[in-house]
Amino acid sequence: MDIKALRNENELVDLFCSLAEIPSPSLHEEAVVDWIVQYCAKNNLKCETDDYGNVHVEVQATDSTKSPILLSAHMDVVGDDSPVKVYLDGDFIKAEGRTLGADDKAGVANALYFVNRLSKSNIAHGGVEVVFTRDEESGMTGIRHVDFSKLKSKYVLVLDSDSLGQLLTAGASYTQVTLEMNTFKGGHSGIDIADETRENAAKLLADLVSELPQGVFYAENGQVVTSCNIGGLSAGKLEVTNVINTYGQATYSIRSSSRAKEEELKDLMKFLVEEFNKEYKDMAEAKIIFKEHMPAFEKNEDDYIPILFEAVAKKVGITPEISSFHAGAETHIYANEKNAQGEKFAPYLVGLATVCNMHSDKEYVDYKTMIEGQKLLQALFEAYNC
């Protein structure tokens, strides 16, 4: 079977391919936004765009006693605006010579197909809200511009995981750390080398770095919760050896799905810097700066969705994987915001398709898993509305 025959045979696959064929690099999603708006108009789906260009779709409740649920996916992809030509290789949909964009067009397609089908059904339900965001890949500016006070749902399914059957319940923050080293006296590496009031910033920076944490700081149940990783060090110039350096810098990243453990790590790093400054108070000063780029997505104490997801996945023949992940996604933003009722969102990162080699020209999606993912989403929604 070729891609044309498969698209003719399966509406969900055709929907995915139509979306994938529209280049939509971060902050250049206008064409895919227009396509989604037109698709919704053609299918009589309530749809609007916000001031930032995010797309909001809604299927209103048919039973006011039930609660709505929110589906979320991002429209941008890693890649440029060159043409996307999809083809079929066995069970895999690929793109010729570039990224496919299954991250996250698979999520967008599954959500659109689902709400279109739901809107034409007679199922009693509490409604579905859908948010399609811009710029998830480069800056997450789209999700940060969503007006959360207009969203009624408590539970959020972010359809952006890369493996069918995944339900990720927590994710790590990302904090950038800058460590600066200043010495009070520089000098000539020959003339001043014996002066004990002078220290080389490169040497002191290396000494301090050797004392600071590196790698896994805290793990639980075999999974990394909090980590610290040095990105690089810089002091002086490699080709200049006759100067006693007065400035050096190192950078780190901290990731943690526990705010408490992240604060514990940061306190340790600050303590070690303070101890260093006491020891070298007359010769040098170190400074450590923390800048949060992504808040932690901490595990919610409400286990309703994980329990429901596990039962439904097994029922439809999909092996559930309920765990955490040591990276960032839009779940992190939802987890730190509140809905129209003032409730904190309870988000989950959900896998409705298996996507491999993300962000590369070898990226592909297993189309059969995408079809199975739609069955999982439908079954989960029906169980949620029982």
Side-chain angles (χ1 to χ4, degrees), residues 152-343:
K152 301 181 288 292
S153 303
K154 174 184 176 182
Y155 296 112
V156 184
L157 305 182
V158 179
L159 311 180
D160 193 20
S161 186
D162 62 356
S163 182
L164 175 64
Q166 279 188 332
L167 184 81
L168 304 180
T169 61
S173 62
Y174 171 62
T175 297
Q176 182 176 317
V177 185
T178 303
L179 176 66
E180 295 183 337
M181 180 67 66
N182 285 280
T183 56
F184 304 147
K185 288 183 182 181
H188 189 279
S189 65
I191 297 170
D192 300 310
I193 200 68
D195 184 350
E196 295 184 355
T197 67
R198 302 172 195 264
E199 285 282 0
N200 191 305
K203 170 62 164 61
L204 293 183
L205 180 63
D207 288 345
L208 182 53
V209 164
S210 71
E211 296 293 323
L212 292 174
Q214 168 60 34
V216 176
F217 178 72
Y218 179 75
E220 195 172 82
N221 300 323
Q223 294 184 323
V224 178
V225 174
T226 307
S227 67
C228 182
N229 182 66
I230 187 166
L233 303 91
S234 175
K237 297 181 179 178
L238 291 176
E239 67 274 15
V240 179
T241 60
N242 64 347
V243 173
I244 298 174
N245 296 300
T246 59
Y247 180 78
Q249 177 179 294
T251 58
Y252 287 83
S253 65
I254 290 175
R255 296 183 182 274
S256 181
S257 54
S258 164
R259 288 186 180 276
K261 287 298 177 182
E262 178 170 346
E263 290 305 313
E264 185 180 322
L265 171 57
K266 289 160 69 175
D267 286 344
L268 174 59
M269 296 176 81
K270 286 187 283 188
F271 171 78
L272 292 171
V273 169
E274 290 167 2
E275 290 298 298
F276 171 90
N277 286 335
K278 289 177 184 176
E279 182 177 354
Y280 292 94
K281 66 178 181 178
D282 296 324
M283 289 183 286
E285 181 181 33
K287 182 187 294 184
I288 192 163
I289 303 161
F290 301 95
K291 185 176 181 181
E292 183 181 88
H293 288 267
M294 177 77 67
F297 162 32
E298 294 190 282
K299 189 177 185 300
N300 197 300
E301 293 181 0
D302 181 350
D303 286 331
Y304 172 62
I305 291 294
I307 291 170
L308 189 68
F309 182 90
E310 182 176 18
V312 168
K314 290 178 178 178
K315 186 176 181 180
V316 298
I318 294 172
T319 301
E321 179 194 336
I322 300 175
S323 61
S324 63
F325 63 114
H326 206 58
E330 290 181 325
T331 44
H332 295 54
I333 309 302
Y334 282 112
N336 290 276
E337 296 289 346
K338 295 180 180 179
N339 65 11
Q341 292 78 244
E343 299 174 295

